[in-house]
Amino acid sequence: MSGSFLGDAFGARGGAAGQGWPMSNIMDAVEQLRAQFEQKTSGATRMNKGDVRSAVLSLLLEQPMHGYQIIREIEERSGGSWKPSPGSVYPTLQLLTDEGLVQAEESGGRKTYSLTEEGRAAAGEETTERSAPWESATTRDSGRMTALPKAGVELAQAAAQVARTGNKEQVAAAVEVLDDARRKLYSILAQS
């Protein structure tokens, strides 16, 4: 979306503010931002090879868990920036079981995994050598995949609300605020 799109949509260019601004363009912009946000946040953050293994060992060092608990816990601890798929967690649990680091007990139709003594030693080494993988996922994301797109969608929704219900002066004031916000965002990039 170009920097002048919302200004054009509000009628700031090529006409008086509040006259002739196509509401459908604003709603299209909001939907486009929402789709980009959902697309970027629906997939997991790309993690390094071995991060699922390290995460599983770290979590099982704390307490026994079943696979779904592990997935939820990783997602929660990474602030939502990393949610490994069952297709990566369950094969990792099976591999760790085959290596003798993890044992599974079935109860109520669900397998609960815990570390063996050898697994505790391996997990202890993992945690002393590097930070937990969910911490690096949060650092890697730094708001790019979650906070920033979400804020953009919320801004576009507010702009659309002003376009729908605001009077001529309110629309003109909103255009000014958006133009100022755009300049400030570019200024942030220029500082580096």
Side-chain angles (χ1 to χ4, degrees), residues 21-41:
W21 32 271
M23 188 61 191
S24 63
N25 285 348
I26 293 172
M27 295 313 292
D28 288 346
V30 170
E31 287 307 313
Q32 191 176 29
L33 280 170
R34 182 180 295 131
Q36 282 182 327
F37 171 69
E38 288 171 355
Q39 178 183 10
K40 290 183 185 229
T41 59

Side-chain angles (χ1 to χ4, degrees), residues 6-74:
L6 287 174
D8 291 342
F10 281 113
R13 290 173 173 66
Q19 294 177 353
W21 32 271
M23 188 61 191
S24 63
N25 285 348
I26 293 172
M27 295 313 292
D28 288 346
V30 170
E31 287 307 313
Q32 191 176 29
L33 280 170
R34 182 180 295 131
Q36 282 182 327
F37 171 69
E38 288 171 355
Q39 178 183 10
K40 290 183 185 229
T41 59
S42 65
T45 298
R46 182 64 84 186
M47 299 304 296
N48 294 325
K49 190 174 182 172
D51 279 345
V52 172
R53 176 188 175 94
S54 179
V56 168
L57 288 172
S58 294
L59 291 174
L60 292 179
L61 187 58
E62 296 175 13
Q63 67 181 17
M65 295 182 180
H66 56 77
Y68 182 67
Q69 283 176 298
I70 292 170
I71 293 168
R72 270 196 347 243
E73 195 65 30
I74 292 170

Side-chain angles (χ1 to χ4, degrees), residues 44 139 170:
T139 302
Q170 290 169 324

Side-chain angles (χ1 to χ4, degrees), residues 184 186-192:
K184 285 180 179 178
Y186 282 125
S187 149
I188 289 169
L189 290 174
Q191 293 173 11
S192 54

Side-chain angles (χ1 to χ4, degrees), residues 17-185:
Q19 294 177 353
W21 32 271
M23 188 61 191
S24 63
N25 285 348
I26 293 172
M27 295 313 292
D28 288 346
V30 170
E31 287 307 313
Q32 191 176 29
L33 280 170
R34 182 180 295 131
Q36 282 182 327
F37 171 69
E38 288 171 355
Q39 178 183 10
K40 290 183 185 229
T41 59
S42 65
T45 298
R46 182 64 84 186
M47 299 304 296
N48 294 325
K49 190 174 182 172
D51 279 345
V52 172
R53 176 188 175 94
S54 179
V56 168
L57 288 172
S58 294
L59 291 174
L60 292 179
L61 187 58
E62 296 175 13
Q63 67 181 17
M65 295 182 180
H66 56 77
Y68 182 67
Q69 283 176 298
I70 292 170
I71 293 168
R72 270 196 347 243
E73 195 65 30
I74 292 170
E75 181 181 23
E76 187 176 307
R77 291 187 189 199
S78 70
S81 67
W82 178 33
K83 182 180 180 183
S85 69
S88 63
V89 170
Y90 287 103
T92 299
L93 286 165
Q94 185 59 52
L95 179 64
L96 291 170
T97 302
D98 293 347
E99 292 175 7
L101 301 177
V102 169
Q103 61 189 11
E105 288 183 29
E106 193 159 338
S107 172
R110 199 172 244 176
K111 286 185 180 178
T112 300
Y113 299 89
S114 59
L115 294 176
T116 62
E117 286 306 314
E118 189 178 335
R120 288 193 176 288
E125 288 175 25
E126 283 274 336
T127 57
T128 57
E129 288 179 14
R130 62 185 203 164
S131 64
W134 48 82
E135 291 170 2
S136 61
T138 305
T139 302
R140 247 181 256 142
D141 173 42
S142 301
R144 284 180 187 219
M145 302 299 275
T146 53
L148 188 59
K150 183 177 181 202
V153 168
E154 290 170 351
L155 178 64
Q157 288 171 332
Q161 180 69 28
V162 172
R164 276 192 305 272
T165 62
N167 62 34
K168 183 177 178 178
E169 291 78 23
Q170 290 169 324
V171 169
V175 169
E176 219 173 282
V177 167
L178 291 173
D179 283 344
D180 185 50
R182 180 179 35 82
R183 282 190 295 275
K184 285 180 179 178
L185 288 172

